């Protein structure tokens, strides 16, 4: 640039613009790192807290089921085959007091199971039945199931019923509505778009506050729903570890995932999925504000440079013009110095 104004713009404004951009970038990176760290700490505190709530809830159900399994009325019903009074007069009112329970039932060695819903089903093919009746387990908690009685999504908690000789003569069980699990997961809504999920030991999503993955997605086969990052993390999630990872969603957006184990049931896990866009919303707003301030600063600097350069170049141009006239022989030219500075 040949003009004084152009040189001043180049030598002053350009460095200011570059420095402003650098400061904005460094500020953005620092705030983004800090925000992500704070959000990660908050997310882990939250999922640990909700996991503890779920653990206490399930452990409370386990304690109740074990207590029912040890009562004489259940033992006598399984010994004699007379279960109607137990179901109708004793257990039905108790189910009504517990809205999270779909039904109570006892099961005989052949799998026949009279329920508080008024029907008799057969659960001989269920894993929890096999664990208690064939493998001698003291407790069995199923993964997510579809109820044979109602078609609803449930999980079962079962305990053996033993006679006076400590021989297992059947089992007592409660089926728990997974809707109730979802209600408890809603307490972990960290942001408006947060998805809170829970999976069982098979990897099936049995709790999902968004509703889009519930009983549809298995995290071990998540690539089938275009979520390979989730599938890669599945082994760690199901092994009882706590951790986090970034995941690309089917629509191309990025989510941050934080997960912890549900210790009450081996292999179950709880996670929180936070969209990156929402996670960094405050950071991006700050960046926009900083950029606007720097643009205003650069604009003000440009205006100042324009007027300063004019104030310098204008008298110089006048002086140069008069000097040229004087050089041509015009001795009437007057050279005036109005200011007190060098110009």
């Amino acid at each position: 640039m040949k003009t004084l104004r152009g040189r001043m713009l180049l030598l002053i404004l350009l460095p200011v613009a570059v420095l402003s951009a650098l400061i904005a970038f460094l500020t953005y990176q620092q705030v983004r790192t800090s925000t992500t760290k704070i959000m990660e700490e908050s997310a882990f505190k939250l999922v640990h807290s909700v996991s503890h709530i779920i653990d206490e809830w399930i452990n409370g159900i386990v304690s109740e089921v074990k207590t029912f399994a040890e009562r004489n009325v259940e033992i006598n019903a399984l010994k004699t085959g007379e279960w109607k009074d137990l179901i109708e007069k004793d257990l039905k009112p108790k189910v009504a007091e517990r809205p999270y329970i779909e039904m109570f039932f006892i099961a005989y060695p052949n799998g026949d199971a009279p329920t508080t819903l008024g029907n008799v089903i057969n659960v001989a093919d269920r894993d929890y039945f096999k664990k208690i009746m064939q493998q001698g387990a003291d407790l069995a908690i199923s993964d997510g199931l579809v109820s044979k009685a109602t078609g609803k999504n449930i999980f079962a908690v079962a305990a053996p019923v033993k006679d006076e000789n400590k021989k297992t003569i059947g089992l007592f069980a409660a089926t728990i509505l997974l809707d109730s699990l979802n209600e408890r997961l809603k307490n972990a809504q960290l942001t408006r778009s947060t998805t809170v999920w829970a999976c069982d030991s098979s990897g099936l999503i049995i709790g999902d506050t968004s509703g889009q993955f519930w009983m549809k997605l298995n995290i071990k086969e998540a690539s089938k729903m275009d979520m390979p990052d989730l599938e890669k993390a599945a082994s760690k999630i199901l092994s009882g570890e706590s951790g986090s990872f970034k995941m690309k969603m089917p629509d191309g957006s990025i989510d941050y995932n934080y997960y912890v184990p549900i210790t009450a049931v081996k292999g179950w896990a709880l996670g929180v999925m936070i969209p990156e866009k929402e996670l960094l919303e405050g950071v991006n707003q700050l960046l926009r504000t900083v950029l606007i301030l720097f643009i205003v600063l650069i604009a003000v600097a440009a205006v100042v440079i324009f007027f300063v350069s004019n104030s310098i170049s204008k008298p110089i141009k006048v002086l140069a013009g008069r000097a040229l006239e004087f050089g041509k022989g015009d001795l009437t030219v007057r050279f005036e110095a109005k200011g007190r500075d060098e110009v």
Side-chain angles (χ1 to χ4, degrees):
M1 293 184 180
K2 296 182 180 181
T3 65
L4 177 62
R5 184 187 307 159
R7 290 178 181 176
M8 290 186 71
L9 288 172
L10 179 64
L11 296 176
I12 298 176
L13 193 60
L14 183 60
V16 170
V18 172
L19 181 61
S20 298
L22 179 60
I23 292 173
F25 174 77
L26 293 176
T27 301
Y28 172 76
Q29 290 295 329
Q30 182 63 41
V31 174
R32 175 174 176 155
T33 300
S34 300
T35 300
T36 303
K37 184 176 180 181
I38 292 170
M39 184 63 74
E40 182 175 289
E41 291 175 353
S42 299
F44 271 123
K45 286 181 181 178
L46 187 60
V47 291
H48 276 294
S49 175
V50 176
S51 176
H52 182 66
I53 292 171
I54 301 299
D55 285 336
E56 288 189 336
W57 178 58
I58 293 176
N59 286 333
I61 294 170
V62 167
S63 179
E64 282 191 314
V65 168
K66 285 184 174 180
T67 299
F68 280 119
E70 293 172 354
R71 297 193 311 169
N72 288 329
V73 284
E74 277 79 13
I75 295 172
N76 292 333
L78 286 167
K79 278 184 175 181
T80 63
E82 297 294 331
W83 49 262
K84 287 187 178 181
D85 283 348
L86 168 67
I87 296 294
E88 296 295 330
K89 297 179 180 180
D90 185 29
L91 295 179
K92 268 191 176 181
K94 290 180 171 59
V95 170
E97 298 169 357
R98 298 165 173 82
Y100 54 88
I101 291 180
E102 178 204 36
M103 64 181 178
F104 285 138
F105 64 87
I106 58 172
Y108 290 89
N110 65 353
D112 287 343
T115 78
T116 52
L117 294 175
N119 55 0
V120 178
I121 58 176
N122 191 284
V123 295
D125 61 333
R126 296 296 202 188
D127 286 340
Y128 60 84
F129 179 86
K130 295 175 182 178
K131 286 180 180 179
I132 288 176
M133 300 304 299
Q134 298 174 15
Q135 300 172 20
D138 289 329
L139 177 71
I141 301 177
S142 76
D143 284 332
L145 300 170
V146 176
S147 172
K148 289 186 175 183
T150 65
K152 294 180 179 180
N153 296 316
I154 53 98
F155 69 94
V157 179
V161 177
K162 299 183 179 183
D163 63 15
E164 62 275 9
N165 297 317
K166 303 300 180 182
K167 178 183 177 182
T168 298
I169 57 175
L171 63 80
F172 178 89
T175 56
I176 315 303
L177 294 166
L178 286 176
D179 283 331
S180 299
L181 175 62
N182 259 342
E183 288 299 315
R184 285 160 176 80
L185 295 184
K186 288 178 181 178
N187 293 326
Q189 296 278 172
L190 191 61
T191 68
R192 64 178 179 272
S193 299
T194 297
T195 296
V196 187
W197 54 268
C199 68
D200 62 23
S201 63
S202 73
L204 180 66
I205 296 294
I206 58 172
D208 170 25
T209 56
S210 74
Q212 58 183 323
F213 307 122
W214 191 43
M215 301 298 284
K216 300 173 185 175
L217 171 66
N218 190 304
I219 64 172
K220 294 193 293 186
E221 301 173 347
S223 58
K224 292 181 180 179
M225 295 185 70
D226 201 20
M227 291 183 284
D229 296 324
L230 178 58
E231 185 171 317
K232 289 178 183 177
S235 59
K236 290 184 178 180
I237 294 172
L238 298 175
S239 67
E241 296 183 24
S242 297
S244 64
F245 63 97
K246 288 174 67 174
M247 183 177 88
K248 186 176 181 180
M249 299 296 287
D251 62 1
S253 62
I254 301 297
D255 280 10
Y256 286 74
N257 271 269
Y258 306 92
Y259 60 89
V260 296
I262 296 175
T263 56
V265 189
K266 185 178 180 181
W268 285 25
L270 174 74
V272 173
M273 190 184 301
I274 307 173
E276 183 181 51
K277 181 179 179 181
E278 188 167 331
L279 180 70
L280 300 177
E281 184 177 359
V283 180
N284 292 332
Q285 180 61 42
L286 175 63
L287 177 62
R288 287 191 290 269
T289 303
V290 171
L291 288 176
I292 290 172
L293 290 174
F294 282 138
I295 290 171
V296 171
L297 174 63
I298 292 170
V300 170
V303 171
V304 170
I305 290 171
F306 177 82
F307 283 107
V308 170
S309 62
N310 268 354
S311 68
I312 296 173
S313 63
K314 188 175 180 180
I316 292 175
K317 285 181 179 180
V318 172
L319 179 62
R322 291 181 180 178
L324 184 61
E325 292 176 8
F326 183 80
K328 291 179 180 179
D330 186 356
L331 301 180
T332 64
V333 174
R334 299 181 63 185
F335 295 92
E336 298 179 355
K338 295 181 179 180
R340 297 183 177 180
D341 54 21
E342 290 84 352
V343 179

